[in-house]
Amino acid sequence: MPRSQRRIHMFLGIDLGTGSSKAVLTNSDGAILDTATITHQVSLPRPGWAEFDAENTWWAEVIGLCGELFARNDPTRVAGVSISGMGPCLVVTDAAYTPLRPAILYGIDTRAEQQIEDLNREFGEDAIYSTGGKVLSSQAVGPKLRWLADQEPEVFAAARHWFSCSSFLTAKLTGEYILDHHTASQCDPLYDVHRQDWIPERADAIAGHIPMPALAWSTDIVGTVTDSASALTGIPAGTPVCAGTVDAWAEGFSAGVRIPGDLMLMYGSTMFFVQVLADFHAHRQLWTTAGVEQGTLTLAGGMSTSGSLITWLAHLFGDAPMETLMAEALDAGPGADGLLVLPYFAGERSPILDPDARGTIIGLTLRHGRGHLVRAALEGICFGLRQSLELFESSGQPIQRILAVGGGTQGTLWTQLVSDILGRTQIIPEQTIGASYGDALMAAIATGAVPPETDWTCMARVVEPDPASAQQYDFLYEKYCQLYPATAGHMHALAKIQRGGA
């Protein structure tokens, strides 16, 4: 049969990110056939809380994205589906998968500080680090489950399942109660990263009557689209669905970050970095996790704000066009005329793991304008990234390649600042749509349409560091590293006031 008459299969990848939801249709060669995007905002009902309505935002947006795509494309051509999402999150539901409260988000939600202390005492900090490859932090799901039991016992008692973002949506599509290994490995202290399985005694102590979801690898087919989900989304009933994963790991997969030593930088609302490991390595300020592919391990870290900080500044400046702000930031020059910013506007994850850290701007004068502030914020994000990558190097796994992905790579200033401040080359793929593209590749692999080793990545450009600014940035980096220890006590006192304390 001539190629023009063949039925070309499509693969649907959907990603629910912090700032937007995206969907992509590809063919088995990785060509993008169509895309759709819906923007949304995180709910911040109290200081330290970050939530989403899983049913009326996440699931509704999946339905909306599918409706948009299938208004332009034949849904019967969809041969496989995969979903990724922000994570790890905590969604608790009844037996019918109806959420009982808003979803509690990943590390930017810092409500469970007391439960982190409680679980460290209960199981031992060293034992948790040994089995999970990381210390308990606001990123972990276990303390948030305990918080729910402590603070909302009626909700906890009514819960029959618990999910992360991607696994909740997979359940809505398939009716299956599963969780991918990578996401599970961020649900400390419930998962043993060495055995790559749940720890039953900790599950009993933390989740209680709520059973653990079945574990699967990201490219495993875990079910098919149900009749009821098909009626809502338009995806044909019976279409295979694979397990999916957390958005940052799907984005790394999309960029071909699959070889030991490869490191992905994800430029988004938050900044995330994931390195593939040849064997087990750990650092107390980073996270060792299961990878996307069976039996693999990764080392990771993430900042609590990055693109979201720049968006916040844009709102403060009257929703000024981002292009204008970036042009003014470029004109401000290296060092922003003596400004430094600690980008801890939602606490901080890597490298300081301090939910009570607070944003700091130092060096302001009446001469500074909004371009200086945007420039200093971008540089502060880059300095924080430099701190974390120094920890990666000291963990024993050298960084061989840096691949940059995400919406922030579409401009030039931010990526150039990262290379200048790190003193490292970055490779930027041609396709920067992100996690949803990695999801589509997972679906293609899961259904056998392409071999497991398939990589759709094509490189678009390389960003080289500019040595002219190296000395100035080295000086500012030294001051940046000194600023947090010098001000942490004041930050914590102010954070207590923000939570309603004396």
Side-chain angles (χ1 to χ4, degrees):
M1 179 184 294
R3 180 174 177 82
S4 61
Q5 297 179 25
R6 289 187 214 149
R7 187 173 182 77
I8 306 299
H9 287 308
M10 300 189 300
F11 300 94
L12 174 61
I14 302 175
D15 175 59
L16 278 288
T18 305
S20 65
S21 298
K22 299 177 183 177
V24 62
L25 288 170
T26 74
N27 65 16
S28 59
D29 294 325
I32 293 177
L33 307 176
D34 205 351
T35 64
T37 302
I38 299 173
T39 59
H40 51 228
Q41 289 188 329
V42 177
S43 171
L44 304 170
R46 299 185 190 180
W49 289 30
E51 300 182 339
F52 264 111
D53 185 326
E55 184 78 21
N56 297 306
T57 300
W58 290 348
W59 178 231
E61 288 183 0
V62 169
I63 294 169
L65 291 167
C66 289
E68 181 179 341
L69 288 178
F70 298 146
R72 301 188 293 261
N73 302 274
D74 178 7
T76 65
R77 290 170 53 196
V78 176
V81 182
S82 182
I83 297 179
S84 62
M86 63 190 89
C89 303
L90 177 61
V91 184
V92 290
T93 75
D94 63 16
Y97 298 154
T98 301
L100 300 174
R101 70 167 326 280
I104 301 173
L105 298 197
Y106 53 96
I108 62 173
D109 186 295
T110 59
R111 72 183 70 191
E113 294 176 64
Q114 182 60 54
Q115 287 71 29
I116 290 171
E117 293 181 17
D118 294 344
L119 292 173
N120 276 329
R121 282 195 299 269
E122 191 171 332
F123 300 115
E125 287 187 49
D126 290 342
I128 290 172
Y129 179 68
S130 176
T131 55
K134 46 202 165 304
V135 300
L136 276 188
S137 71
S138 64
Q139 186 76 356
V141 167
K144 292 170 184 178
L145 267 168
R146 178 62 65 84
W147 178 92
L148 193 67
D150 290 346
Q151 300 298 318
E152 297 181 0
E154 70 290 348
V155 173
F156 184 78
R160 295 296 176 267
H161 304 95
W162 68 270
F163 298 95
S164 191
C165 175
S166 60
S167 64
F168 169 71
L169 296 170
T170 299
K172 297 291 280 188
L173 281 181
T174 67
E176 301 295 333
Y177 182 41
I178 64 94
L179 189 65
D180 70 284
H181 277 275
H182 166 68
T183 306
S185 72
Q186 291 207 51
C187 295
D188 302 285
L190 300 167
Y191 182 93
D192 188 324
V193 76
H194 302 281
R195 295 191 302 107
Q196 298 190 322
D197 202 356
W198 297 121
I199 302 172
E201 59 274 19
R202 294 184 189 171
D204 290 342
I206 295 170
H209 67 283
I210 311 173
M212 292 292 104
L215 292 170
W217 291 97
S218 298
T219 56
D220 289 344
I221 294 175
V222 295
T224 59
V225 176
T226 63
D227 290 339
S228 58
S230 176
L232 292 170
T233 64
I235 306 169
T239 301
V241 181
C242 63
T245 192
V246 171
D247 53 3
W249 275 256
E251 191 139 13
F253 200 74
S254 79
V257 179
R258 298 168 70 178
I259 302 169
D262 280 356
L263 183 135
M264 177 207 71
L265 294 184
M266 186 180 78
Y267 292 72
S269 299
T270 65
M271 200 160 199
F272 224 87
F273 13 104
V274 178
Q275 183 187 35
V276 181
L277 296 175
D279 47 33
F280 182 85
H281 293 279
H283 192 290
R284 286 184 176 269
Q285 291 169 272
L286 300 172
W287 312 318
T288 302
T289 73
V292 169
E293 299 177 271
Q294 185 167 358
T296 59
L297 293 168
T298 60
L299 191 63
M303 301 174 72
S304 293
T305 61
S306 52
S308 57
L309 174 55
I310 307 306
T311 301
W312 177 78
L313 285 170
H315 288 326
L316 286 186
F317 298 139
D319 292 318
M322 195 61 70
E323 296 81 5
T324 302
L325 291 177
M326 288 299 168
E328 293 176 6
L330 180 63
D331 290 342
D337 198 13
L339 275 189
L340 270 179
V341 170
L342 295 181
Y344 309 151
F345 287 64
E348 187 56 294
R349 296 184 289 175
S350 304
I352 61 172
L353 301 178
D354 184 356
D356 283 344
R358 290 296 180 262
T360 301
I361 304 171
I362 189 168
L364 274 172
T365 71
L366 296 177
R367 293 181 59 250
H368 288 108
R370 64 185 187 181
H372 295 94
L373 282 166
V374 172
R375 175 86 181 216
L378 286 169
E379 291 176 346
I381 293 163
C382 298
F383 289 138
L385 174 62
R386 178 169 166 176
Q387 284 183 311
S388 288
L389 294 201
E390 287 178 356
L391 299 181
F392 274 80
E393 292 279 22
S394 69
S395 74
Q397 178 74 60
I399 298 169
Q400 302 295 338
R401 292 194 307 166
I402 296 178
L403 296 100
V405 298
T409 63
Q410 295 173 14
T412 57
L413 177 59
W414 192 0
T415 53
Q416 188 61 57
L417 288 176
V418 167
S419 280
D420 290 349
I421 289 172
L422 298 184
R424 291 181 176 273
T425 299
Q426 297 174 88
I427 302 168
I428 300 180
E430 183 178 276
Q431 185 46 255
T432 59
I433 192 171
S436 58
Y437 191 60
D439 297 328
L441 176 56
M442 289 183 203
I445 291 172
T447 56
V450 300
E453 66 274 12
T454 299
D455 181 1
W456 286 344
T457 311
C458 295
M459 298 307 165
R461 60 190 175 96
V462 173
V463 182
E464 299 284 359
D466 179 1
S469 59
Q471 185 174 357
Q472 183 172 7
Y473 280 137
D474 286 346
F475 173 81
L476 290 171
Y477 177 62
E478 180 184 358
K479 301 306 174 188
Y480 178 95
C481 293
Q482 294 168 354
L483 186 55
Y484 168 72
T487 58
H490 303 298
M491 292 179 184
H492 296 165
L494 295 173
K496 184 175 181 181
I497 293 173
Q498 293 163 1
R499 289 196 302 270

